[in-house]
Amino acid sequence: MTTTSRRARTGADDGRDTSRDGLRNRAEAHVLTHYAPLWRAVQGNRWLYRKTNAVLTDRAILKAPPRPNPLSTMAPYTSWASLTDRSYVGRHLPPDPAPHPGRPAPDRAAELFRRDGDGARCARSTALLPAFAQWFTDGFLRGHGRGGDPRRTDSPHTIDMVQLYGATAGMTACLREFEGGRLKSRTAGGGEFPPLLCEGGRIKAEFAALKPARWEDVPEPLRDTVFASGGDRAHAHLGPMLVNVLFLREHNRIAGLLARAYPSWDDERIFQTTRNILVVMTIRLVLEEYINHLTPFHFRFRLDPLRTVRASWHRENWSTIEFSLVYRWHSLIPSVYRVAGREVPLAHTLANGRLIEERGMGPLFDDLSRQPAGRMGLFNTDPLLLPIEARTVEVSRELEVASYNDYREHFGFPRATDLRQVTGDPVVRDALHGMYGGVDELDLYVGIFAEDARHGSLFGNLLGRIIGIDSFSEALTNPLLSPRLFTPATFSPEGMDILRRTRSLSDVVHRNLPEDDGRYRVSLGVKRAP
């Protein structure tokens, strides 16, 4: 039996073989990551900036055939039902029903992710990155287990803030005050927080419509600290809980502004307009702060609805199984959080709202922004999360997801012929060879995290390509960005002004700190030494 090294990925390598990256891909990456003065000049001219923004967005998305995809997880062939029933998950490639006897069992494959100790740290990103990433993707990457069937999903397939408002009208109703467009909240320590979900360890009757995931795993003593929230995984751990608190505060802040600006509006109009504003605000933050942080490019992408709506790829979004797989960034999550100068193990941050109330929102954002995230890749997932890694491999095989090499070819990379073309790290190569024998049998999920990160980026070529395609097309096809809707009639003049003035997560944090007037570091990126 082959044994796998459990030590953290070393990061040392003897040089990844780039011969199978593709000449066009290498040339494009070189241009986008060099010539900084040229890119500054482009961004200094408004017309040229907008034009380049549209062209580069198109190029990122059109690295794969545009939607509609011919298949979903409903069936291995196209039918009218498979093209319209969005309770099934989309897929970029057809299923691969061929047997793969050379692949390890899912629990063995999960050992390729195991972290020893605190693991390797990311030199680029802070612990706030996985917090924000999990929070916003939990709104549309809704798992694949409804009724125990991994083919199905209750995803809205777009960014609509269900993690805050809930996936059904009944869930939304139980979270609303029905006065002034506000969400229910309470005050603790001078700050605003969601109401508590439970009393005496039982979900309160008023929140019976809420269905938190894996509730049976939440220890009884912690249940009374969990916040009532629309997201079924918002209680998962410290990061998503914190971001959800922030956006509850922002919702109620904006609702108050609209109520004062438009006194004739009723509760329903204030609530719905506030939600519209928050949806587009989130899209702007995703594009202009989050995606720009992820890319190694000198060019900074901007939200420009009037340009992107004309593109050939601008079709209704449908989340894919591949996008769900590539967004399981468990290696970024630290094993230990540093909160107020003390170490808090990951296990103690799960379903623990008390941590947020005791530390305070501003200081906690500061804590996460000063701590490096884990480094993306194999051998760097906390053991607590390994069952999720094993289940992910298992689901990908149940759905007959094609191989890593098949997806390289689909997304514009030549097929790899040797593991050296995936990674230059001998520890990773040896482990992959021991489990898979070579590159052709690699599961997609294992292969994308085995890749060496591109220079200046968090991840490798294929993972970066899939993220670029689906992230842009997911965000930019939201109906609120269409020219007829992206107007003051939809958001109000006050709302349009709020959107114009919101450019970073820090902006949102610092206007929602009634408990103190401090200035805090709020950043997805590690602060560089001078």
Side-chain angles (χ1 to χ4, degrees), residues 200 258 264 310 380 397 402 423 449 494:
L258 296 183
S264 64
R310 306 168 188 166
N380 208 31
R397 293 182 186 175
T423 175
F449 291 108
E494 181 79 19

Side-chain angles (χ1 to χ4, degrees), residues 41-324:
V42 167
Q43 292 169 103
N45 179 291
R46 186 173 182 273
W47 179 87
L48 192 56
Y49 193 174
R50 293 188 69 197
K51 181 69 174 177
T52 305
N53 189 63
V55 169
L56 292 181
T57 301
D58 287 351
R59 288 186 65 84
I61 297 172
L62 293 175
K63 290 292 194 300
R67 288 188 294 269
N69 289 318
L71 299 176
S72 75
T73 52
M74 176 183 281
Y77 53 86
T78 303
S79 66
W80 183 250
S82 72
L83 291 172
T84 56
D85 188 343
R86 291 160 63 84
S87 71
Y88 288 86
V89 186
R91 60 193 317 158
H92 281 283
L93 281 183
D96 173 16
H100 293 275
R103 288 178 174 173
D107 58 341
R108 283 197 65 223
E111 288 298 313
L112 290 166
F113 293 85
R114 182 181 292 274
R115 171 188 291 164
D116 270 355
D118 290 341
R121 295 180 178 180
C122 180
R124 179 177 172 84
S125 303
T126 69
L128 185 56
L129 175 67
F132 182 76
Q134 181 172 346
W135 174 80
F136 98 84
T137 57
D138 276 353
F140 55 89
L141 297 179
R142 302 277 301 159
H144 309 290
R146 188 176 71 176
D149 186 347
R151 300 175 303 156
R152 308 297 289 268
T153 180
D154 63 355
S155 172
H157 300 285
T158 191
I159 295 174
D160 71 351
M161 303 288 285
V162 299
Q163 65 271 45
L164 181 63
Y165 299 112
T168 67
M171 295 171 73
T172 305
C174 77
L175 293 166
R176 291 178 59 179
E177 284 188 0
F178 289 102
E179 183 176 346
R182 291 174 52 85
L183 293 169
K184 292 177 181 177
S185 67
R186 61 192 172 84
T187 300
E192 186 179 22
F193 294 92
L196 295 173
L197 179 66
C198 294
E199 187 171 13
R202 295 180 177 273
I203 294 177
K204 297 175 184 176
E206 66 179 302
F207 299 126
L210 303 181
K211 306 296 181 185
R214 298 180 180 174
W215 188 241
E216 66 279 2
D217 295 335
V218 177
E220 289 279 349
L222 289 179
R223 292 188 175 187
D224 284 357
T225 77
V226 173
F227 301 139
S229 172
D232 58 358
R233 290 176 288 184
H235 64 289
H237 68 89
L238 178 66
M241 282 191 289
L242 176 64
V243 181
N244 223 44
V245 171
L246 171 64
F247 278 85
L248 174 133
R249 291 187 182 189
E250 180 69 350
H251 174 99
N252 285 346
R253 188 190 75 86
I254 293 173
L257 292 175
L258 296 183
R260 290 190 291 274
Y262 310 106
S264 64
W265 284 14
D266 62 10
D267 165 77
E268 187 67 17
R269 184 169 184 181
I270 294 172
F271 176 83
Q272 299 297 349
T273 303
T274 300
R275 182 172 183 169
N276 290 345
I277 294 166
L278 273 193
V279 167
V280 173
M281 180 186 297
T282 300
I283 293 171
R284 165 156 277 161
L285 294 174
V286 167
L287 182 63
E288 297 187 1
E289 183 167 18
Y290 172 79
I291 289 180
N292 279 331
H293 171 74
L294 296 181
T295 68
F297 308 149
H298 291 298
F299 186 83
R300 312 296 291 172
F301 290 97
R302 284 283 183 91
L303 179 64
D304 191 354
L306 298 183
R307 288 273 183 175
T308 54
V309 76
R310 306 168 188 166
S312 62
W313 50 262
H314 200 280
R315 307 288 179 87
E316 185 179 28
N317 190 59
W318 193 323
S319 296
T320 64
I321 180 59
E322 295 89 354
F323 194 35
S324 175

Side-chain angles (χ1 to χ4, degrees), residues 26-49:
R26 293 202 303 270
E28 183 177 271
H30 177 82
V31 171
L32 289 169
T33 56
H34 292 74
Y35 316 113
L38 172 64
W39 290 112
R40 284 196 296 270
V42 167
Q43 292 169 103
N45 179 291
R46 186 173 182 273
W47 179 87
L48 192 56
Y49 193 174

Side-chain angles (χ1 to χ4, degrees), residues 6-10 114-116 119-120 375 378-380 427:
R6 292 175 54 190
R7 65 193 177 95
R9 183 172 179 167
T10 63
R114 182 181 292 274
R115 171 188 291 164
D116 270 355
R375 188 169 63 200
L378 298 183
F379 298 116
N380 208 31
V427 171

